[in-house]
Amino acid sequence: MTKALSRITLAPLPPSRPRIGLALGGGGARGLAHILIIEAFEELGLRPAVIAGTSIGAIFGAAMASGLKASHIRAHTEETLSQRFDLVRGLFAARADRQQKFFSLLPLRPALLNPEALLDLVLPRGVAADFSSLAIPLKVVATDFYGQEAAILVEGPLQRAVAASMALPAIFQPVVIDGRALMDGGLVNPLPFDLIGAGVDITIAIDVSGAGREPNASGMPSAFEALVASSQILQHSIVREKLKSSQPDIYIDVEVDKFHVLEFHRFREILAAAAPAKAALKRQIEKILGSNTVPLIDGVADAGAMTVLAPEIPTPAPKKRRRLALPKSLKRKG
């Protein structure tokens, strides 16, 4: 028997509530933490006015923007990673040296996996087929390989756009859209809070790029591990540099550093590790909505009047004066 699809009825935003923009970052398996962020919004009775997503952030952003309930997204993800995804999950869970041997046996080809075929398994049932069918506007970030620039996808087939955004080089084949070879959006904008736009009152960014990890027993990464992790190092560096010049109103740095980008088989551990981030997000949103820090002018929140929620950072934003919790690597020492 086919289960009934769980979908949220999205009513118009109340005029007394500020408009929220949500940015979901890339980070491979670490991005499974986004499920808890979707749960947090649902438990608070809120929905974003716009979502921007990169890589795995685009996957869960597409599900959320389609109006799917958090419980449906979570159940589908857990079922997929524990049962229906055995072949690919086994590949991702294997030791790096075994993966390298597997690569050496393959004929030369653009990459190992087709991202669009993989999304047929990963995306929950009920995700919109096209951007025009979404309940919440969505911006998907990909990288134009030959153009060497960001490609912001906001129209056309949704699954193809998400596939392009998650196409990690050497793992996934690039996706061709409008004559452009597109791949992982994390190469150019791993945490796209800057794409939310001026039409919102509160911008929330969820960072799952992670930080440094403990060395393995040999103290030397394998060739395959170095290939995959180099992308994460790049993404983490880009996020840190972006936060030095501008910040979202709420920034959540999810503590998922100990997980490898391809460790999808550890999904239960990742979700457990992300629980404190979910609680922190709910506290900060409730603090804003339950105080007078977002004055309403003709029914619209004045974001410029928002107050500080966290410790001061060394480099304040040039346009918005507010204090914000940042990664430890950006905090002033001493």
Side-chain angles (χ1 to χ4, degrees):
M1 180 179 295
T2 302
K3 294 181 180 179
L5 180 64
S6 299
R7 191 184 296 274
I8 300 173
T9 300
L10 298 176
L13 287 172
S16 60
R17 287 292 182 95
R19 291 171 57 84
I20 299 175
L22 175 63
L24 300 177
R30 296 165 172 172
L32 295 170
H34 290 319
I35 295 173
L36 274 70
I37 302 305
I38 298 173
E39 290 178 348
F41 270 82
E42 191 170 314
E43 290 167 10
L44 291 172
L46 299 173
R47 68 177 175 93
V50 61
I51 302 171
T54 296
S55 196
I56 195 167
I59 294 177
F60 289 114
M64 188 181 194
S66 295
L68 299 184
K69 291 189 67 174
S71 59
H72 174 67
I73 297 171
R74 182 169 187 151
H76 174 85
T77 301
E78 291 182 344
E79 178 187 3
T80 297
L81 293 178
S82 61
Q83 297 178 21
R84 298 167 56 194
F85 202 26
D86 286 341
L87 179 61
V88 177
R89 180 170 61 91
L91 172 64
F92 285 167
R95 292 176 56 86
D97 56 348
R98 291 175 58 192
Q99 291 171 322
Q100 285 180 280
K101 292 177 183 178
F102 185 65
F103 267 74
S104 66
L105 296 176
L106 294 175
L108 293 178
R109 53 189 298 183
L112 178 61
L113 301 173
N114 182 327
E116 292 185 79
L118 186 62
L119 278 181
D120 286 335
L121 291 175
V122 173
L123 284 179
R125 185 171 60 90
V127 170
D130 195 276
F131 279 91
S132 62
S133 301
L134 290 171
I136 300 172
L138 174 68
K139 298 180 180 181
V140 172
V141 182
T143 299
D144 185 334
F145 178 78
Y146 292 108
Q148 298 187 19
E149 60 184 4
I152 312 304
L153 307 174
V154 296
E155 61 182 9
L158 181 60
Q159 182 166 322
R160 173 159 287 195
V162 174
S165 182
M166 59 168 275
L168 187 67
I171 302 297
F172 295 108
Q173 299 173 11
V175 177
V176 178
I177 299 179
D178 295 332
R180 296 183 295 175
L182 304 181
M183 56 178 54
D184 187 16
L187 300 174
V188 288
N189 195 345
L191 187 59
F193 60 86
D194 53 315
L195 300 182
I196 294 298
V200 301
D201 309 299
I202 302 171
T203 300
I204 298 175
I206 310 300
D207 186 2
V208 292
S209 63
R213 303 174 66 222
E214 291 296 322
N216 57 30
S218 68
M220 182 69 68
S222 68
F224 183 81
E225 182 181 10
L227 174 65
V228 175
S230 60
S231 174
Q232 294 304 301
I233 295 171
L234 171 65
Q235 292 188 34
H236 186 62
S237 298
I238 291 174
V239 171
R240 285 185 296 176
E241 290 303 312
K242 284 182 62 176
L243 290 172
K244 288 180 181 179
S245 59
S246 65
Q247 301 89 38
D249 300 304
I250 297 178
Y251 168 82
I252 301 295
D253 188 4
V254 187
E255 294 290 336
V256 286
D257 304 344
K258 67 180 181 179
F259 302 102
H260 189 280
V261 61
L262 296 181
E263 289 183 327
F264 287 93
H265 61 292
R266 300 178 66 185
F267 63 92
R268 290 188 179 88
E269 296 174 67
I270 294 172
L271 293 177
K278 173 184 175 180
L281 175 62
K282 291 179 68 173
R283 284 196 304 269
Q284 294 201 37
I285 293 177
E286 289 172 332
K287 190 170 184 178
I288 291 178
L289 299 182
S291 68
N292 295 321
T293 59
V294 187
L296 299 179
I297 301 176
D298 295 329
V300 179
D302 178 11
M306 245 196 321
T307 60
V308 176
L309 293 180
E312 186 175 3
I313 61 171
T315 307
K319 294 183 180 180
K320 293 184 179 181
R321 295 182 179 178
R322 54 172 70 91
R323 294 173 355 203
L324 180 69
L326 289 180
K328 295 179 181 179
S329 58
L330 291 182
K331 293 182 179 179
R332 180 182 299 147
K333 297 181 179 180

